[in-house]
Amino acid sequence: MSDSATSPEPAPVRSAASASSNWRDNSSWRRGDAPTSSPKPSRFTSARPSGTSWRDREERKGTEEGQAAGDNANRRLEPSDFVPNSRPYDRVRSNKPPQKDDSVAAKAIAEGRRIYIGNLRYQAKPEDIEGLLKASDFGHFTNIDISVDPFTGRNPSYCFVDFPDAESAKQAMEVLEGKELLGREVKCRPGQPKGSGSGGKPSDAPNRWGRWSGDKGGDDESRPTSFDRYRQDFTGMRLYVGGLPRMQDQAANFAEMTELFKDYKLEAISKRVSAHESTRELPGNHDYCFVDFSSPQLAKEAMESINGTIFKGERLKVNLAKGRSNQWRERDTLDRN
């Protein structure tokens, strides 16, 4: 046997440090890799099968039944339902130019005489705002711009107040900030032009925003009918319009409903209500609104004509609705409490 033949070298001995390093290199948690197997379920983990629960199914059923009856009672209403443009998934993108203030509002904003008062209860009325101003020695205000929904009687949780001069407006903001109105502390800041992203954005929908001048000899005709209209019963004259797509904004909803019912005299158009979360992702359009007519006969004719027609690619569902919103007694309940 040749002397050059060598015996096999012994296998290298892996040190504890090397093994530890290799373990770290091969560990998937450092690389963010998914585990190769699912963790063993705990005996405390619920064994409920995947899918919708009985509660979800019942809620969806109640929502669909409420929509079919023209009733909001079975739907979770949120503050944003009554504030235009408050939820991005309620709207579609548009290149429509931003809204503009009317001449009176634009002048007051430019001169620093307009303030925004927010965090109002939805049930607050212009008389309440006037009472707050007078109690704080600001009864010399020029006017109050506030929107009252003609179907629910609710405001969008804010209003605007104009004063004779900028100094009065500044003092009012400082004094009124944190004052309590109907159990809530109001918030104040300078009024901003529409589309500026702050200071509130009144809707273009008609018969909602009005100027309240209180007992200073204002013209009663300037008081929008929506301030009191929500208390009336429109049974037989109110229709539910379902199967509507996501809206661009409430002004677009008004324009679309006006065009849809152009052959009939509409008395009022409600805000478009977004579908509940349980139905929002289902195929088709699920938003809805309400429209009022001057007579039951006219409402019946409109329902028979429009029901089942195709609008924005989907079939509309139009039927008679309740004559009053579920919220119309809210203020009475608030006053009693």
Side-chain angles (χ1 to χ4, degrees), residues 23-100:
W23 170 83
R24 287 189 176 90
D25 293 339
N26 293 332
S27 179
S28 61
W29 68 270
R30 285 185 175 276
R31 300 192 303 271
D33 296 339
T36 56
S37 60
S38 300
K40 182 179 179 181
S42 167
R43 63 189 180 92
F44 299 106
T45 303
S46 173
R48 189 181 71 178
S50 60
T52 57
S53 67
W54 66 268
R55 192 184 301 276
D56 294 332
R57 291 193 295 271
E58 287 299 317
E59 188 177 66
R60 179 178 301 178
K61 179 181 177 182
T63 300
E64 293 172 350
E65 290 176 351
Q67 291 180 355
D71 182 10
N72 279 353
N74 293 305
R75 178 182 178 277
R76 275 191 212 137
L77 292 177
E78 302 172 0
S80 48
D81 287 335
F82 302 91
V83 183
N85 305 338
S86 57
R87 297 187 296 188
Y89 51 73
D90 293 343
R91 311 186 303 277
V92 293
R93 293 185 179 275
S94 170
N95 293 324
K96 180 181 176 181
Q99 301 175 13
K100 294 183 178 180

Side-chain angles (χ1 to χ4, degrees), residues 180-193:
E180 192 170 287
L181 178 64
L182 299 178
R184 298 187 68 172
E185 294 183 355
V186 302
K187 299 183 181 300
C188 301
R189 62 175 180 260
Q192 300 291 332

Side-chain angles (χ1 to χ4, degrees), residues 265-282:
K265 181 176 175 54
L266 283 174
E267 291 288 310
I269 302 170
S270 80
K271 294 180 179 180
R272 187 173 301 184
V273 182
S274 300
H276 188 268
E277 294 176 358
S278 60
T279 58
R280 191 177 301 140
E281 301 302 327
L282 296 177

